[in-house]
Amino acid sequence: MDRFVIRGGNPLVGTIRVSGAKNSALPCMAAAILTEDEVTLENIPQVRDIETERKLLASMGAEVSPRQGRANDRITISCRTLSDPVARYEIVKTMRASSLVLGPLIARTGMARVAMPGGCAIGGRPIDLHIKGLEKMGATITQEHGYLEARADRLRGAHLVFDKITVTGTEDLLMAAVLAEGETLMENCAREPEVTDLAALLTAMGAKIEGAGTSTIRVQGATSLRGARYRINPDRIEAGTFLIAGAITGGDLVVSNCNAEHLGAVIAKLQEAGLLVDILGPDTVRVRSHGPLRAADISTEEYPGFPTDMQAQYMALATQAEGVSQVRENIFENRFMHVQELVRMGANIKVDGSTATVRGPARLSAAAVMCSDLRASASLVLAALVADGESILDRVYHMDRGYERIEEKLRGVGAQIRRMGDIFPQGKMRRATDNPPVPSPADI
Ligand code: EPZ
């Protein structure tokens, strides 16, 4: 099981490039189900979740090309024949976003059998709002043996009002609506850039959509959609993670190939914390430290508020700020898995319900820590970049789900980070108190 070995203390300096957005790529790949024609997507990140979705589509009979293009970031998907519209548990259990195939499968084939995703480290992750919307559009959905069985001769347009703002719920039902009969009005929709990205692809495929990116989306259903070629957005969470990496290490980091417009809440918060953040262009943001970090509170909200996917990363930064920062998580019920690992590195954090109180600055010392979910892993990487000594991060497969070659990218701007297989021979597990092996500088 891969581990990261990270020696803290180096300011990150230089330019680091952002990959395509995982959370745009996943719904856009699912959208290929809606047409018999080929859909070509560019700027697709090379991360585990994308490979999981590739397997999922192939298991249903789709053809997904190998990566192509100069940047090796282009894939072509053909769902001409969907011989087996089933999303099996073996795949769904590794990626709950597999539920994104539910809407397009029903819309295209009139049926779907999708394993219930189950929860994950950060929360129960129900999909009741997806189901409620599809039933309102005329689907008959039963649940048995851990699977959703859905059928509909043809979905009907409906007036849908989401009880809660849900990103993949909005995306799933948007993909159902584009082939439904008549008009669908969706209210209380998610406004995340990933929703707008999906709507732009669907429009290129011939869908009639108004209001994507706002709370109210209106769709005129079509009888069929054509293929398209589309380049997805840069990953705003990867970009935000890199901005915090530059900030926490006291560096001077230029984040390129991002979309500065999608980073408003994160940039404003970093400036409030005392950092110099300059937008050098629509796709380039520079962060520099500028004196001591100041404590600043965050409260996670749906877009355009401060993203829940940046909460763990911001908490790592807050451990280094002078003063008390309140970190309030409003979206998921269990998204503080990184706290105990940060405390083991020396952070001063107290959790009370959905609020974590971070007192700083705290000197972090290197430790052997365990990654628990995608963004908690990112938080531990950031803490290790500033900790005194060499940390070992276990279970970095969580990181690989959503960050492309992160150790190479960070090394390219001065981080001392490397990936290792099992450090110790089988059977001899190292106690957390053991001094981790000190690789020679050449090894880093
Ligand atoms: C998407 O998850 C993202 N994943 C998540 O990113 C992100 O954290 C989340 O949106 C919030 O921004 C993808 O896009 C693949 P939600 P999603 O439905 O759609 C509740 C990452 O780190 N809810 O917006 O699953 C839910 O429990 C991942 O990249 C229901 O109650 O999140 C949560 O409390 C983690 N019923 C809230 O809504 C439903 O049917 C928001 O969840 C659906 C959601």
Side-chain angles (χ1 to χ4, degrees):
M1 204 179 292
D2 278 1
R3 292 180 172 89
F4 280 161
V5 180
I6 302 175
R7 178 177 292 280
N10 286 17
L12 300 192
V13 178
T15 299
I16 192 165
R17 182 181 169 81
V18 173
S19 300
K22 161 182 87 85
N23 290 349
S24 282
L26 294 173
C28 287
M29 288 172 75
I33 292 169
L34 294 164
T35 176
E36 292 185 352
D37 298 345
E38 288 189 346
V39 172
T40 296
L41 299 171
E42 297 175 341
N43 204 25
I44 298 294
Q46 201 152 342
V47 296
R48 266 162 42 102
D49 276 6
I50 299 303
E51 294 318 303
T52 302
E53 176 124 349
R54 170 197 294 273
K55 266 196 310 192
L56 173 62
L57 290 172
S59 74
M60 296 193 285
E63 287 172 26
V64 187
S65 74
R67 286 173 166 279
Q68 299 157 328
R70 198 170 35 80
N72 205 31
D73 65 1
R74 187 175 73 227
I75 58 172
T76 296
I77 303 168
S78 166
C79 295
R80 176 172 297 281
T81 52
L82 285 172
S83 50
D84 193 11
V86 180
R88 285 179 175 70
Y89 180 63
E90 292 67 40
I91 295 180
V92 173
K93 72 181 176 186
T94 64
M95 185 183 71
R96 57 173 313 289
S98 307
S99 55
L100 277 166
V101 301
L102 186 57
L105 276 179
I106 303 175
R108 168 78 189 281
T109 70
M111 64 170 290
R113 192 162 183 270
V114 175
M116 293 289 283
C120 70
I122 65 176
R125 313 295 296 278
I127 57 168
D128 56 310
L129 301 179
H130 302 230
I131 294 166
K132 189 174 173 183
L134 289 168
E135 286 177 332
K136 190 144 190 207
M137 296 176 77
T140 307
I141 299 182
T142 55
Q143 302 184 22
E144 54 181 1
H145 309 305
Y147 277 79
L148 287 175
E149 302 268 351
R151 288 187 182 281
D153 294 336
R154 187 182 178 195
L155 293 172
R156 296 185 307 274
H159 180 191
L160 309 176
V161 183
F162 288 102
D163 298 337
K164 284 179 84 166
I165 294 174
T166 161
V167 175
T168 51
T170 301
E171 294 164 345
D172 210 0
L173 288 159
L174 179 58
M175 290 190 278
V178 294
L179 285 182
E181 186 174 3
E183 178 177 273
T184 298
L185 177 63
M186 299 162 63
E187 294 189 276
N188 199 26
C189 298
R191 295 182 278 167
E192 270 67 5
E194 293 76 37
V195 174
T196 315
D197 230 355
L198 170 65
L201 166 63
L202 293 170
T203 302
M205 293 167 68
K208 300 279 179 284
I209 301 168
E210 290 169 14
T214 73
S215 301
T216 301
I217 300 178
R218 194 181 292 273
V219 183
Q220 303 300 332
T223 50
S224 66
L225 294 180
R226 57 178 180 263
R229 184 177 182 129
Y230 182 74
R231 182 175 183 80
I232 66 164
N233 275 329
D235 193 316
R236 60 192 170 96
I237 304 301
E238 184 188 17
T241 304
F242 290 150
L243 286 173
I244 291 186
I248 201 171
T249 59
D252 180 346
L253 193 64
V254 173
V255 177
S256 70
N257 194 47
C258 65
N259 185 326
E261 266 182 30
H262 297 158
L263 291 163
V266 173
I267 289 173
K269 193 53 68 175
L270 294 180
Q271 290 170 332
E272 186 183 337
L275 290 144
L276 282 180
V277 185
D278 302 299
I279 297 177
L280 305 181
D283 62 358
T284 311
V285 180
R286 180 184 182 187
V287 61
R288 284 172 288 168
S289 60
H290 174 62
L293 285 170
R294 296 192 296 265
D297 299 345
I298 62 163
S299 181
T300 62
E301 302 294 343
E302 294 85 1
Y303 191 88
F306 192 92
T308 175
D309 291 351
M310 283 297 301
Q311 178 260 106
Q313 298 92 308
Y314 180 80
M315 192 183 288
L317 182 69
T319 69
Q320 302 305 297
E322 286 184 355
V324 180
S325 306
Q326 300 289 348
V327 175
R328 186 173 177 74
E329 174 54 56
N330 298 308
I331 307 294
F332 290 110
E333 62 267 33
N334 187 38
R335 204 166 199 178
F336 284 149
M337 302 284 280
H338 42 288
V339 169
Q340 283 320 311
E341 297 302 281
L342 292 174
V343 168
R344 291 183 60 242
M345 296 176 81
N348 181 343
I349 307 171
K350 297 277 184 297
V351 172
D352 177 11
S354 59
T355 300
T357 301
V358 186
R359 287 179 170 77
R363 193 185 71 77
L364 299 183
S365 59
V369 289
M370 186 83 76
C371 297
S372 56
D373 60 81
L374 173 54
R375 307 303 175 186
S377 313
S379 177
L380 298 180
V381 169
L382 295 168
L385 288 173
V386 72
D388 178 13
E390 189 171 82
S391 298
I392 295 186
L393 280 63
D394 211 349
R395 299 187 180 176
V396 292
Y397 60 82
H398 288 292
M399 197 89 188
D400 294 334
R401 293 191 54 176
Y403 288 93
E404 180 177 355
R405 297 181 294 105
I406 191 163
E407 70 272 26
E408 290 171 33
K409 291 187 180 184
L410 290 173
R411 245 195 329 261
V413 287
Q416 295 188 76
I417 177 173
R418 67 196 168 97
R419 180 185 293 261
M420 287 183 73
D422 279 330
I423 294 180
F424 291 86
Q426 286 306 321
K428 182 179 180 305
M429 287 308 292
R430 180 171 47 78
R431 293 186 305 280
T433 50
D434 284 355
N435 292 325
V438 182
S440 64
D443 290 346
I444 287 284

